[in-house]
Amino acid sequence: MIERKYDQKHQKHWENWQRSWDRQQEWYMPDREERFRVMLDLVEAVGGSEPRVLDLACGTASISERLLARLPGAVSVGVDLDPALLTIAGGLFAAEPRLTLVTADLRDQDWAAQLPPGPYDAVVTATALHWLATDDLIRLYGDLAGLLRPGGVFLNADHMPEPATPVLNAADRAFQRRRQERERSEGVLDWADWWTAAAADPLLADHVAARSALYREHTDGDLHPADWHTARLVEAGFREAGVAWRSVSDSLVAAVR
Ligand SMILES: C[S@@+](CC[C@H](N)C(=O)[O-])C[C@H]1O[C@@H](n2cnc3c(N)ncnc32)[C@H](O)[C@@H]1O
């Protein structure tokens, strides 16, 4: 059993890791904050000012952090598999009764049994479900339909490249690469460097080692365009599904239960 140090003494430490995670993620998605803003607009539009939210594959709980800052009456359940990212979230929110963190693998058929009971007003997720294989994702969409109340909303912001625009996609990729190179020369960490830095932190090292063992067999999941997701969500039992925001490479898909 790895000890998690959630004490207040380390609050600043966990805050620094959270900000550094956000910066690393923004290196990949410069529109990340805008996506979150549109996502939370829809959580509030559907769920009101005191929504009960499930933050799926929450990582360090960046979405929950923004939700709780924006809506003081909200409560959130963050679920993830990664012991290191959950340690950062647990440290940062040690004194936050509105956030519950749950360890579960979304690929397990009974993952939802670990959650505080539903129904939820909203399920939110970002940059995560492309880690899943197509079969697991379709099963998960069915599970989410069962966790949301009728009228509740599912919001999935993720990489959803559009096959109809290969020229635009290639131009955008080249443009983003130039931006990333510039930012790297200014010291921004990419995924691999961020994890190397995390492994060097005595408060995180054991958790990073545990995650490496967990993800040793990790392979990337499948990428699908936005209209594939909206079709699967309707098949899974959602009343309607559409695109609430998009860039060339990413979309925010919204589905109403
Ligand atoms: C790129 S991070 C995004 C985290 C967070 N949503 C954010 O936007 O900062 C992807 C997250 O998906 C989680 N994840 C991937 N596969 C998972 C699985 N099978 N079960 C639970 N979480 C998973 C990872 O642990 C990681 O925290």
Side-chain angles (χ1 to χ4, degrees):
M1 183 74 165
I2 299 170
E3 189 197 351
R4 288 214 169 110
K5 299 187 172 67
Y6 286 165
D7 51 305
Q8 301 270 317
K9 177 164 78 126
H10 296 102
Q11 180 73 16
K12 188 71 202 153
H13 185 76
W14 300 125
E15 240 174 81
N16 289 341
W17 274 116
Q18 171 75 316
R19 296 287 76 83
S20 141
W21 169 262
D22 284 340
R23 186 64 192 95
Q24 175 253 110
Q25 287 287 291
E26 280 163 6
W27 186 73
Y28 294 94
M29 289 146 300
D31 302 323
R32 185 169 178 258
E33 282 305 323
E34 192 184 323
R35 285 193 332 186
F36 287 160
R37 200 258 309 151
V38 177
M39 183 180 267
L40 294 181
D41 281 354
L42 288 170
V43 169
E44 188 174 346
V46 171
S49 59
E50 298 183 352
R52 189 150 185 263
V53 177
L54 180 61
D55 183 355
L56 205 60
C58 63
T60 59
S62 296
I63 304 176
S64 291
E65 184 183 26
R66 285 151 184 77
L67 168 80
L68 299 177
R70 174 174 167 152
L71 299 176
V75 290
S76 185
V77 176
V79 57
D80 204 285
L81 177 62
D82 189 311
L85 298 181
L86 284 174
T87 295
I88 294 171
L92 185 60
F93 295 103
E96 175 52 84
R98 296 174 297 162
L99 177 66
T100 305
L101 293 171
V102 172
T103 300
D105 185 339
L106 299 175
R107 293 167 300 185
D108 288 346
Q109 304 254 349
D110 63 347
W111 70 276
Q114 331 279 334
L115 300 176
Y120 292 84
D121 298 303
V123 178
V124 296
T125 186
T127 332
L129 299 191
H130 71 272
W131 288 44
L132 301 181
T134 299
D135 288 353
D136 287 331
L137 181 59
I138 290 173
R139 196 218 67 246
L140 180 67
Y141 279 174
D143 297 344
L144 298 180
L147 284 167
L148 279 163
R149 66 162 167 83
V153 68
F154 169 57
L155 296 155
N156 177 17
D158 207 352
H159 309 314
M160 299 184 193
E162 174 51 63
T165 57
V167 176
L168 205 57
N169 298 350
D172 183 58
R173 266 197 307 275
F175 173 78
Q176 297 299 342
R177 244 192 324 270
R178 288 196 294 279
R179 174 190 57 77
Q180 288 182 323
E181 278 163 19
R182 208 171 47 243
E183 292 180 2
R184 287 284 278 162
S185 72
E186 293 161 5
V188 177
L189 301 183
D190 69 4
W191 179 263
D193 285 352
W194 191 88
W195 281 108
T196 302
D201 175 355
L203 293 184
L204 272 180
D206 289 347
H207 306 293
V208 176
R211 96 173 278 280
S212 303
L214 263 179
Y215 280 124
R216 193 156 290 139
E217 292 174 21
H218 168 74
T219 49
D220 279 339
D222 301 316
L223 284 179
H224 300 285
D227 60 1
W228 181 93
H229 288 273
T230 56
R232 297 296 84 73
L233 286 161
V234 170
E235 285 166 10
F238 286 82
R239 183 192 311 181
E240 62 181 46
V243 174
W245 175 94
R246 71 160 297 168
S247 67
V248 174
S249 57
D250 287 38
S251 288
L252 169 60
V253 161
V256 177
R257 172 73 176 85

